[in-house]
Amino acid sequence: GAVVSQHPSRVICKSGTSVKIECRSLDFQATTMFWYRQFPKKSLMLMATSNEGSKATYEQGVEKDKFLINHASLTLSTLTVTSAHPEDSSFYICSAPELAMHIQYFGPGTRLLVL
Amino acid sequence: DQQVKQNSPSLSVQEGRISILNCDYTNSMFDYFLWYKKYPAEGPTFLISISSIKDKNEDGRFTVFLNKSAKHLSLHIVPSQPGDSAVYFCAASALDTSGTYKYIFGTGTRLKVLA
């Protein structure tokens, strides 16, 4: 299957700082990428859809000013958690579908801990 | 409102026997159903999918069955191996207005295969 990478794999930051997470599709181009969040022992919740060349679309209840998404190229999307607080601590995972496919390939995830 | 449900949070099976993981959904508009396997602190790995117009799809040891009238699908793993021990997520996808397949995940079932 297709390969999606994420960086960093884990990050610890102080409250009030911003954290950027990168998601790359390594062997295919992705006009769309997705960002998910997983709480401990919970399901994956879709946060937003990242669209190359246009604005991201956010799911209900997700603050777009808090979670900034940029899809700069066909292989890179970034999620920036701005002014992070302890309640933002979570496991963030990105995914990308191959063009016109219904299958999403997931990155390895980023564990964020805000102190 | 949980549109995709996995009612069994955990399942233990003896090595070599069949593992059956179940998933129920409420929305008859889903186009595809997928199963992902996930290890702790890693992204989900795609296992197998099924189109809503089919009732069975098989790939090696993995078979997915879809019962549309009951809005139920199941993943059969046979024979089960210790390496299959992981959390299994069921996902349902539907095209949104922008032509993108979006997923809704179930809450996951932790499978433990005993040697």
Side-chain angles (χ1 to χ4, degrees):
Chain A
V3 179
V4 175
S5 71
Q6 256 180 268
H7 178 81
S9 58
R10 55 189 303 156
V11 58
I12 301 173
C13 70
K14 291 183 179 178
S15 188
T17 60
S18 294
V19 174
K20 182 189 279 189
I21 303 169
E22 291 186 349
C23 177
R24 294 182 186 271
S25 56
L26 297 184
D27 51 0
F28 66 103
Q29 293 183 330
T31 56
T32 301
M33 290 184 177
F34 299 96
W35 287 95
Y36 292 83
R37 181 174 178 176
Q38 185 185 25
F39 293 99
K41 298 185 180 180
K42 298 286 186 183
S43 185
L44 286 82
M45 301 300 295
L46 179 64
M47 297 173 64
T49 303
S50 173
N51 304 298
E52 190 270 335
S54 64
K55 288 183 180 179
T57 53
Y58 291 80
E59 297 301 303
Q60 196 171 15
V62 178
E63 298 175 61
K64 59 183 176 184
D65 295 330
K66 172 82 172 165
F67 299 99
L68 299 179
I69 289 172
N70 185 272
H71 198 137
S73 74
L74 288 171
T75 58
L76 173 64
S77 173
T78 60
L79 168 70
T80 301
V81 183
T82 62
S83 187
H85 288 100
E87 58 265 29
D88 299 324
S89 299
S90 194
F91 192 57
Y92 293 88
I93 312 174
C94 71
S95 73
E98 285 191 281
L99 200 61
M101 293 286 289
H102 63 276
I103 300 170
Q104 291 182 25
Y105 295 96
F106 285 81
T110 297
R111 169 76 58 194
L112 170 64
L113 177 61
V114 184
L115 302 176
Chain B
D1 178 29
Q2 191 75 29
Q3 293 190 60
V4 179
K5 295 180 186 178
Q6 291 175 258
N7 291 318
S8 298
S10 64
L11 174 70
S12 290
V13 171
Q14 207 64 38
E15 181 180 8
R17 306 296 289 267
I18 185 170
S19 295
I20 300 176
L21 298 106
N22 294 303
C23 179
D24 297 295
Y25 61 96
T26 57
N27 187 346
S28 58
M29 300 301 290
F30 289 129
D31 299 299
Y32 289 94
F33 301 90
L34 307 96
W35 284 94
Y36 283 82
K37 176 180 179 180
K38 186 179 182 302
Y39 294 112
E42 292 185 13
T45 302
F46 171 72
L47 278 177
I48 192 169
S49 66
I50 187 167
S51 163
S52 60
I53 61 172
K54 304 232 169 147
D55 53 23
K56 178 181 175 182
N57 187 26
E58 191 172 352
D59 183 2
R61 296 186 298 115
F62 302 94
T63 304
V64 56
F65 295 93
L66 176 62
N67 182 334
K68 284 190 291 293
S69 61
K71 294 192 176 69
H72 176 85
L73 66 152
S74 60
L75 173 69
H76 292 211
I77 306 173
V78 56
S80 301
Q81 300 171 353
D84 296 329
S85 297
V87 177
Y88 289 78
F89 285 96
C90 159
S93 78
L95 272 176
D96 72 1
T97 52
S98 67
T100 304
Y101 281 107
K102 282 190 174 177
Y103 282 10
I104 296 178
F105 278 92
T107 48
T109 296
R110 181 176 301 278
L111 172 66
K112 190 171 184 179
V113 180
L114 306 168

